[in-house]
Amino acid sequence: MEGFSYQQIKDLQQLIAPPKEDSDSDSEDDDLRQRLSRQKLGPGDVTPSGGKPVASTRPSESVPISDIWHPSEVNPITDYQKEDPRQTPEYKMTFKQAVGTEDIFLGMNLKTPSTASCEWIMLRIQLPGENKDKIELSVESNIVDLRSPKYRLQLPTPFAVDPNSSCAKWHSDSDCLEITLKLSRELDDVNF
């Protein structure tokens, strides 16, 4: 591991705390100007002792300012949606909790409206023009995978779910699949 040279440490010391000059102008304006000039310095102002800035290791292509990472720094992730010609159906994910009168009127169970107090995730998927017999549904602990001739949805769940305690219901009048996923979190036995 390479350390800092003596000259680099001296340059950094001068950058952080420049030496005081022996002059008779110790007015407040000079002190204010000096403090403001220190605040404007940043990591890009540090250069090697030769005074030449170090060349950037990033490619020279222009990147929008709103981007955090340069495209060359991000590993490309293959997305199944780019390769699969089927449409992604509209879906709505809501959280559900069991609330009794003791929760509403007395607040005895310490439940809150947040997702931390929820026991289920309700997933409503609109599949217009689809037959329930042609739908394949797979629920794992962290992902819901729905496939049909027209649609494909692979949806990660925000929390781990119990696939064995979950259920699905087909609404033929609205061509909607309603999936109820039982959350399985670490401290659910303590919280509920």
Side-chain angles (χ1 to χ4, degrees):
M1 184 170 147
E2 186 177 312
F4 294 104
S5 69
Y6 176 76
Q7 186 60 39
Q8 289 175 330
I9 293 174
K10 281 300 201 184
D11 289 343
L12 186 59
Q13 180 183 11
Q14 285 181 351
L15 181 66
I16 294 172
K20 298 216 176 203
E21 297 177 11
D22 293 333
S23 64
D24 295 333
S25 63
D26 290 335
S27 67
E28 293 179 20
D29 293 337
D30 289 340
D31 291 338
L32 179 63
R33 205 175 300 123
Q34 189 176 17
R35 273 188 268 134
L36 289 175
S37 68
R38 278 191 215 146
Q39 291 175 355
K40 293 178 185 175
L41 296 177
D45 298 321
V46 178
T47 60
S49 59
K52 298 177 184 175
V54 178
S56 173
T57 58
R58 292 177 135 190
S60 61
E61 57 188 69
S62 65
V63 177
I65 295 174
S66 63
D67 288 350
I68 296 174
W69 303 102
H70 191 274
S72 65
E73 296 172 331
V74 180
N75 293 333
I77 299 173
T78 58
D79 188 14
Y80 79 91
Q81 292 289 357
K82 293 178 184 174
E83 300 167 4
D84 198 344
R86 294 178 281 187
Q87 296 177 9
T88 302
E90 289 185 31
Y91 63 90
K92 182 177 180 182
M93 185 182 295
T94 54
F95 290 88
K96 253 175 96 173
Q97 59 177 277
V99 180
T101 54
E102 65 274 1
D103 298 316
I104 295 173
F105 298 111
L106 302 173
M108 293 174 63
N109 285 343
L110 302 175
K111 289 193 177 183
T112 64
S114 71
T115 59
S117 296
C118 294
E119 291 106 16
W120 298 284
I121 295 177
M122 192 79 144
L123 190 59
R124 291 182 60 93
I125 306 169
Q126 297 292 330
L127 301 165
E130 199 60 69
N131 187 357
K132 75 173 185 173
D133 297 329
K134 296 182 180 181
I135 297 172
E136 293 180 27
L137 179 64
S138 171
V139 177
E140 296 177 21
S141 64
N142 290 322
I143 199 159
V144 175
D145 189 13
L146 180 130
R147 299 175 190 202
S148 74
K150 293 181 184 178
Y151 301 101
R152 168 84 191 267
L153 178 66
Q154 190 171 17
L155 187 67
T157 57
F159 301 104
V161 296
D162 182 11
N164 298 325
S165 299
S166 302
C167 63
K169 183 179 180 183
W170 175 255
H171 297 282
S172 58
D173 55 338
S174 60
D175 290 338
C176 177
L177 181 65
E178 187 176 285
I179 306 169
T180 305
L181 305 167
K182 175 77 172 149
L183 293 174
S184 64
R185 290 183 277 199
E186 208 172 303
L187 299 174
D188 276 354
D189 296 333
V190 176
N191 292 334
F192 304 118

